[in-house]
Amino acid sequence: GENGSDDESIHSASYESGATAHADEKEGARLSVPVSVAFALWSKILHLPTHSKGENQGPLSYIRSTLVLLGVLDLASIDKDRDDVSAPSIPGRPDKKTIDCLIIHDSIHKQYGEYLAFGDHDASFQSVVNKNSRPWNEAVSRAARSLGFNEFTLKMLPTNTMRSARFQDTFDLLNDMTFVRKRTRVLGPIGTCKAHVGDMDELLSLIEKQTCRSNNTILEEELDERQGLMGAYEQVLKYCMHEVDDLTKKSTAGVDEEA
């Protein structure tokens, strides 16, 4: 998530030519994008000073309201992580259990945004997207991390992190026990397996491309790709086996009750 709409902008921020089919699949869905993430990206695109709550919200709020009134975006919300114990945003009031989001109204709007950004025509913004992919993704990932784990970050944070050229951070994230556990909780075992495999495929592809562009010189950081790959898949296997054990126990308990 964060250019015609919030979801379009997130697509642009996380897009890179040659992305895998998995990435296209992720971005093909109508993604609920936290408003704070959209604002962070729009600030970067519009070259506004780094915003914080209460600062530079006027222009960004106007953009949001206009796109909603035009029927390009809808207001939405996603649940915060149930383990989130962050302090209330307003002292003395209970913290909200949801995160305010924006979601593209209809897939036709997304398709038109993709045509403007990546279409084979003279007015395409492809060169602009390619030039700014890294800073735009950095803005998105920074804002997303501040929200903790939720549906958006569990789906998109690895993508935005790797497209910020932070390859080791992406390996670390995909190997993180807490991230994998929460991803399994939200996406389910099958969804998590697909997401992890797709993330890893794209990550290795981006590393290869950067290596080729730099004429096989050493990257900014030494990467143990094999260890990162095996560790990430081992974490997924671990939590998938937990799910299998739970299903087996429930099935056994049901048989015992019938008996």
Side-chain angles (χ1 to χ4, degrees), residues 22 25-26 154-155 183-184 186-199 236 240:
H22 164 75
E25 178 182 313
K26 277 195 300 188
L154 292 170
K155 288 180 179 178
R183 194 177 225 191
T184 305
V186 172
L187 304 185
I190 295 176
T192 298
C193 289
K194 289 182 177 179
H196 248 61
V197 170
D199 287 336
V236 173
C240 284

Side-chain angles (χ1 to χ4, degrees), residues 44-112:
K44 200 71 175 178
I45 293 172
L46 298 172
H47 301 289
L48 296 177
T50 302
H51 79 281
S52 58
K53 287 189 176 181
E55 297 181 10
N56 301 323
Q57 297 289 302
L60 302 173
S61 296
Y62 180 77
I63 293 171
R64 174 188 58 187
S65 299
T66 301
L67 293 173
V68 170
L69 289 172
L70 289 173
V72 177
L73 297 179
D74 291 329
L75 300 176
S77 65
I78 56 177
D79 293 332
K80 287 185 176 179
D81 185 76
R82 68 189 187 195
D83 299 329
D84 187 357
V85 293
S86 58
S89 54
I90 302 178
R93 295 187 189 178
D95 198 15
K96 289 179 63 176
K97 294 184 179 180
T98 58
I99 299 171
D100 293 334
C101 294
L102 296 167
I103 186 170
I104 194 164
H105 177 73
D106 191 271
S107 61
I108 191 65
H109 297 127
K110 181 176 184 299
Q111 291 169 19
Y112 182 59

Side-chain angles (χ1 to χ4, degrees), residues 73-248:
L73 297 179
D74 291 329
L75 300 176
S77 65
I78 56 177
D79 293 332
K80 287 185 176 179
D81 185 76
R82 68 189 187 195
D83 299 329
D84 187 357
V85 293
S86 58
S89 54
I90 302 178
R93 295 187 189 178
D95 198 15
K96 289 179 63 176
K97 294 184 179 180
T98 58
I99 299 171
D100 293 334
C101 294
L102 296 167
I103 186 170
I104 194 164
H105 177 73
D106 191 271
S107 61
I108 191 65
H109 297 127
K110 181 176 184 299
Q111 291 169 19
Y112 182 59
E114 290 172 342
Y115 171 75
L116 292 177
F118 316 116
D120 185 15
H121 54 87
D122 293 339
S124 173
F125 291 96
Q126 178 73 68
S127 61
V128 177
V129 173
N130 290 342
K131 179 181 177 181
N132 293 281
S133 177
R134 181 169 181 171
W136 288 355
N137 276 284
E138 286 174 350
V140 170
S141 61
R142 187 164 50 247
R145 285 177 182 273
S146 69
L147 295 174
F149 292 117
N150 54 68
E151 180 184 338
F152 176 81
T153 55
L154 292 170
K155 288 180 179 178
M156 295 303 301
L157 190 55
T159 300
N160 296 128
T161 303
M162 72 178 77
R163 293 180 185 178
S164 303
R166 289 160 48 200
F167 301 134
Q168 185 59 56
D169 287 347
T170 310
F171 275 126
D172 293 343
L173 182 62
L174 294 172
N175 276 265
D176 183 80
M177 182 170 55
T178 302
F179 179 81
V180 177
R181 173 170 57 84
K182 292 179 183 291
R183 194 177 225 191
T184 305
R185 177 194 296 173
V186 172
L187 304 185
I190 295 176
T192 298
C193 289
K194 289 182 177 179
H196 248 61
V197 170
D199 287 336
M200 193 60 68
D201 283 349
E202 184 177 359
L203 175 58
L204 296 176
S205 176
L206 290 174
I207 291 172
E208 182 179 5
K209 287 177 183 176
Q210 178 160 319
T211 303
C212 291
R213 283 197 297 265
S214 58
N215 296 320
N216 294 319
T217 57
I218 298 176
L219 296 175
E220 294 177 5
E221 51 193 351
E222 289 289 347
L223 300 172
D224 189 341
E225 297 174 31
R226 184 178 185 281
Q227 180 59 42
L229 176 71
M230 296 301 296
Y233 289 164
E234 285 172 2
Q235 288 291 346
V236 173
L237 175 61
K238 174 182 176 182
Y239 285 102
C240 284
M241 293 305 296
H242 285 174
E243 293 288 333
V244 171
D245 289 343
D246 288 343
L247 289 172
T248 302

